[in-house]
Amino acid sequence: MMLFLATVGHCPGLLALALLGLVGLLPEACSGYPDEDEDYYMQELLSREHYYRIPAPEESPVEEDEPRPAARNKPKVKSGKSSIKQTGTKTKSVRASNKKTEKTPNSINDAERQYPSETVECPPLGLETLKIDDFQLHASTMQRYGLGAHRGRLNIQAGLYEDDLYDGGWCAGRNDPLQWFEVDARRLTKFTGVITQGRSSVWSSDWVTSYRVLLSNDSHTWVTLKNGSRELLFSGNKEKEIPVMNIFPRPVTARYIRINPRTWFSGGGICMRTEILGCPLPDPNNYYHRRNEITTTDNLDFKHHSYKEMRQLMKMVNDMCPNITRIYNIGKSYSGQKLYAFEISDHPGEHELGEPEFRYTAGSHGNEALGRELLLLLMQFMCQEYLSHNPRVRRLVHETRIHLLPSVNPDGYDKAVKAGSELSGWSLGRWSPDGLDIHHNFPDLNSILWEAEARKWVPRRYPNHHIPIPEWYQSQNATVAMETRALLGWMEKIPFVLGGNLQGGELVVTFPYDRTRPHRTMREATPTPDDPVFRWLAFSYASTHRLMTDAARRVCHTHDFAKEDGTINGASWHTAAGSMNDFSYLHTNCFELSMYVGCDKFPHESELPEEWENNRESLLVFMEQVHRGIKGVVRDMKGGGIANAIISVEGINHDIRTGRVF
């Protein structure tokens, strides 16, 4: 084919001459200068004309009768190996409403009859987890940089005030069936499926309702995924947040994969977030892959655990290390599931004089499964290393009483895991069954303290610490989750000194206060009197994490926390009243921080070995910080311990109290 480009004034026209005759003349009426990508876009239009036909009226997308089963994870997966299990589902072809519905040759069922379906279980390539970097993502056009291909990642979030840098997905610069979103796997890969979402936005509604899939080994010659001689047309999304997964009739091997939107929501445009399912083929000569591959030498159970499996794992570790571990429960969830905690100490079940109490909690947001699994991995690691006489671990066990609560919200987790690690979206299972955010369900003691300070009652008439819980909050009619009440009782019973709650969806450590002092201010740095200590504690975790302080890493969503050493004051990020962190600081002696341990809230289990390597050192280092500072015993004239003695430090307007005598 010969291609001639003629420009008349500011209006380009294209003329393509084929060997056997004229293929087409595609004039475009316009005004002003052509866009920077105009020539490239029009050449793409011609060279892909065979594949990018306007859908004929009789073509129908593949649509499923019911959602596909979750991208569940196979049990007993060893380090670095995992898969997504898919089961067959009924499919149908959808025609116009005024015609009788019947199957068409491009349905998945027909494809399975023509080609025996090959069951291959492959994990996500890593658009959401950032294993796929920005340079591997390309698109035909984009509305602006903030809606470029690099933003087309599953579950990526836009800011409340959308700007040109961090928007909620890839959006094409034109709404026509010639657009495409491309992923370069950088090696031959056995592709098995695609997951799509619409654009994350408070202000607009954009999603793709059907699309085709094309594959290539050189990014120039493309082949459309077909069923026999017919091109497969997949059903996309029906709204912008719920992920939709389409599994191919049979795996296809290629290096590049493209999604070509064919139809989209009539009230919006072509916008999408996506994840690709595929198994990279072995390639010992692929230097890029070997350089970036993270492996672990720890022999741990890398998988997602159901409630029953979690309990069995805790029992197994307890049986391995009965002299240093104990399992107990702090209460029950909304549905009656026990909230199990795991203690690690040289004298489990006993509070030892001078030995600080430490806690890690996870899963207050049920869909943030990574923290849950990290604590289950940590208890296995501590037991194994203790038995191996690791001096660092043995010192921690002998000098600290450690409590691990891996699942604060097991009901929410069950809801998220039912959808699956890749299909639970951003918020499914986040709240308790009665619709409460457990992490922000604590009494707002900040307002009480600040009001007392404004009246100049502190510290003579009102304390600057151990702020009492309001009576209304303790009533049975108060909107308090059962899980929150269980946590309150736990905090009152055990004199914790330091704690961390593991969350997901970002890479940052936040510290109090989490609420801004001015009521109507959405974000403003609001430090505590112990701000230098909190900053050090946050930095101790972030600086030893593999990615949090890496200036070269990609931003998870909208904020580049690496520029702030991977830490931030909670209120300067976004204000939230009644957080667990603020309550712990104002009502108890415990300094509590939040660790956001990964961009992906619910990573596929094949990612767990790498996430463990990312967080292992940080988890240990943060526990060791409980021994910083001054510790001792306040005694009376006869040498007996004095409970509730107030200890003040000059220059710090926040006192602490001695614990009760055990």
Side-chain angles (χ1 to χ4, degrees), residues 117 281 619:
S117 180
L281 299 184
L619 291 167

Side-chain angles (χ1 to χ4, degrees), residues 71-87:
R72 282 291 291 129
N73 309 292
K74 288 183 68 178
K76 299 181 182 179
V77 179
K78 297 299 181 183
S79 170
K81 297 180 181 179
S82 185
S83 60
I84 295 179
K85 183 178 180 181
Q86 299 298 334
T87 58

Side-chain angles (χ1 to χ4, degrees), residues 148-438:
H150 64 292
R151 301 293 294 176
R153 300 171 181 272
L154 191 71
N155 286 322
I156 202 166
Q157 299 296 296
L160 180 61
Y161 306 105
E162 297 172 351
D163 53 42
D164 289 336
L165 290 179
Y166 302 116
D167 230 319
W170 163 67
C171 288
R174 301 172 178 81
N175 291 326
D176 60 47
L178 307 173
Q179 306 304 310
W180 46 263
F181 177 86
E182 177 184 309
V183 179
D184 175 8
R186 282 186 169 155
R187 63 188 297 184
L188 287 178
T189 300
K190 186 177 290 187
F191 295 111
T192 59
V194 171
I195 303 172
T196 59
Q197 273 177 314
R199 174 186 175 185
S200 169
S201 173
V202 177
W203 312 107
S204 60
S205 298
D206 308 281
W207 61 85
V208 170
T209 56
S210 69
Y211 60 88
R212 290 200 179 110
V213 173
L214 296 91
L215 302 114
S216 173
N217 285 330
D218 58 9
S219 79
H220 295 290
T221 303
W222 293 86
V223 176
T224 306
L225 193 62
K226 297 182 179 181
N227 163 30
S229 61
R230 295 294 300 272
E231 298 171 348
L232 284 171
L233 191 65
F234 294 97
S235 288
N237 299 85
K238 296 180 180 179
E239 55 87 67
K240 59 188 177 184
E241 289 299 335
I242 300 177
V244 172
M245 177 169 63
N246 281 296
I247 299 298
F248 301 158
R250 57 188 308 187
V252 185
T253 300
R255 170 175 168 173
Y256 302 87
I257 184 169
R258 276 186 180 179
I259 300 174
N260 166 222
R262 305 300 290 176
T263 58
W264 48 92
F265 175 54
S266 59
I270 297 177
C271 294
M272 66 192 314
R273 295 171 286 169
T274 189
E275 181 62 85
I276 306 297
L277 306 180
C279 299
L281 299 184
D283 183 4
N285 298 319
N286 191 317
Y287 168 74
Y288 176 83
H289 177 74
R290 286 185 287 111
R291 183 188 64 182
N292 291 276
E293 189 174 23
I294 304 297
T295 57
T296 183
T297 58
D298 296 328
N299 184 25
L300 307 175
D301 190 20
F302 293 103
K303 58 167 284 185
H304 285 294
H305 296 80
S306 67
Y307 180 81
K308 181 180 179 181
E309 291 167 340
M310 177 186 73
R311 190 167 178 270
Q312 290 173 342
L313 178 65
M314 296 170 80
K315 181 65 169 61
M316 181 193 73
V317 178
N318 178 238
D319 290 341
M320 287 178 59
C321 298
N323 295 329
I324 63 166
T325 64
R326 179 176 73 105
I327 302 171
Y328 65 100
N329 77 81
I330 68 168
K332 293 184 178 181
S333 71
Y334 182 88
S335 68
Q337 299 188 89
K338 292 180 179 179
L339 306 180
Y340 286 107
F342 193 84
E343 179 186 342
I344 304 174
S345 170
D346 57 344
H347 293 90
E350 299 179 24
H351 174 78
E352 299 179 71
L353 186 64
E355 184 169 291
E357 305 266 1
F358 175 91
R359 71 170 180 250
Y360 270 133
T361 61
S364 57
H365 300 144
N367 62 328
E368 295 170 6
L370 178 55
R372 170 187 173 119
E373 296 306 326
L374 287 176
L375 292 192
L376 294 178
L377 292 168
L378 180 62
M379 63 181 68
Q380 297 174 64
F381 177 81
M382 295 285 286
C383 175
Q384 291 180 9
E385 294 301 304
Y386 185 87
L387 296 177
S388 300
H389 297 279
N390 181 322
R392 183 186 187 188
V393 171
R394 292 182 77 88
R395 184 167 56 252
L396 263 175
V397 172
H398 291 159
E399 299 177 359
T400 320
R401 191 180 181 204
I402 302 166
H403 304 259
L404 308 178
L405 182 61
S407 189
V408 175
N409 182 8
D411 299 339
Y413 175 83
D414 289 346
K415 189 173 184 180
V417 81
K418 186 176 180 180
S421 61
E422 307 310 313
L423 300 181
S424 57
W426 188 249
S427 60
L428 183 65
R430 174 184 175 90
W431 299 278
S432 65
D434 45 348
L436 299 175
D437 185 331
I438 296 171

